[in-house]
Amino acid sequence: MRFIYAAVAAALAQTPAAGLIPAAVDLETRVTPSVMDCEGYGKSTAFYDNSPNYSPACADVTAACLKLNGTSIWSHAPCVAAATCQGTRSVVILNQCQNPNVLHIASIPNMSGSVYATIVGSANAAANAPITQQNYIDFVFGQMTAAGVTQWPTADYVISNWWDRITSWAATGNSVPYKDFVDWPHYSETDLDY
Ligand SMILES: *[C@@H]1O[C@H](CO)[C@@H](O)[C@H](O)[C@H]1NC(C)=O
Ligand SMILES: *[C@@H]1O[C@H](CO)[C@@H](O)[C@H](O)[C@H]1NC(C)=O
């Protein structure tokens, strides 16, 4: 928690000199969540959408995402996996809390093709094939392995708590087409201020 406080305090204290603002970045789309929000979301890490569903494996995947401290967060596989295991909102806000360059949710660049290829395989990605349940399970368990998870969820848990959320949002049946999966972290939380 302390490093989030420090990062937010530093961000608030900073008054960028005009010459230091990159011309290409629209400052309107930058967001600095409040210290209280950062603390709250920090505490609810790995609770899916603030529900009582806590997953220690998801906490490890989220930590792996935050460790990258990126800005194009949907181009980082651990961050995509983290969004699927605890919801988009908290992953966006936690990243904004530690890095003032993470844009508003609507302005964060779309998921990269390479992450999609990691999920479905490059041949399937080239053929624009949808993500199957098995693709998702392989992806998320792969990210959990990479994150050093020791307390594993069952595949049933992963399906009913994480995958089913995405398929019900996409409403495309048992698989999720590329366009919908890219749109999901972008649009599934449209009421978000951040
Ligand atoms: C993340 O990156 C931002 C921007 O470069 C920096 O200000 C911040 O200290 C970094 N935070 C961590 C936890 O590495
Ligand atoms: C992201 O993809 C959506 C369509 O899925 C598109 O409307 C939007 O312009 C894209 N955003 C960026 C920044 O490329």
Side-chain angles (χ1 to χ4, degrees):
M1 283 310 301
R2 243 177 237 128
F3 81 94
I4 291 178
Y5 263 115
V8 171
L12 290 174
Q14 249 171 25
T15 314
L20 294 177
I21 300 172
V25 175
D26 177 2
L27 290 183
E28 294 287 313
T29 63
R30 287 202 199 181
V31 181
T32 305
S34 72
V35 171
M36 270 184 68
D37 276 348
C38 291
E39 186 181 9
Y41 279 96
K43 283 185 180 147
S44 61
T45 295
F47 286 91
Y48 200 115
D49 271 348
N50 276 328
S51 75
N53 285 344
Y54 177 75
S55 161
C58 184
D60 292 339
V61 171
T62 303
C65 161
L66 293 173
K67 202 172 165 192
L68 297 171
N69 198 19
T71 51
S72 289
I73 57 176
W74 310 135
S75 297
H76 295 302
C79 297
V80 173
T84 72
C85 72
Q86 67 169 44
T88 301
R89 173 188 307 254
S90 51
V91 173
V92 168
I93 293 175
L94 289 170
N95 274 283
Q96 289 166 341
C97 288
Q98 69 172 10
N99 191 333
N101 298 320
V102 178
L103 302 179
H104 182 279
I105 188 168
S107 303
I108 294 173
N110 282 335
M111 190 180 302
S112 68
S114 68
V115 169
Y116 194 74
T118 301
I119 301 171
V120 297
S122 40
N124 286 336
N128 211 14
I131 302 179
T132 63
Q133 180 179 286
Q134 189 61 51
N135 289 150
Y136 173 70
I137 289 173
D138 292 345
F139 167 69
V140 87
F141 275 89
Q143 292 305 312
M144 288 192 275
T145 301
V149 162
T150 55
Q151 292 176 263
W152 295 88
T154 62
D156 282 349
Y157 182 94
V158 166
I159 293 164
S160 60
N161 288 286
W162 304 345
W163 171 248
D164 285 354
R165 305 268 192 144
I166 305 168
T167 52
S168 60
W169 183 82
T172 52
N174 292 330
S175 63
V176 180
Y178 173 71
K179 187 188 173 304
D180 297 81
F181 196 68
V182 167
D183 281 353
W184 173 74
H186 216 80
Y187 295 115
S188 64
E189 305 261 19
T190 44
D191 61 331
L192 189 57
D193 294 334
Y194 293 113

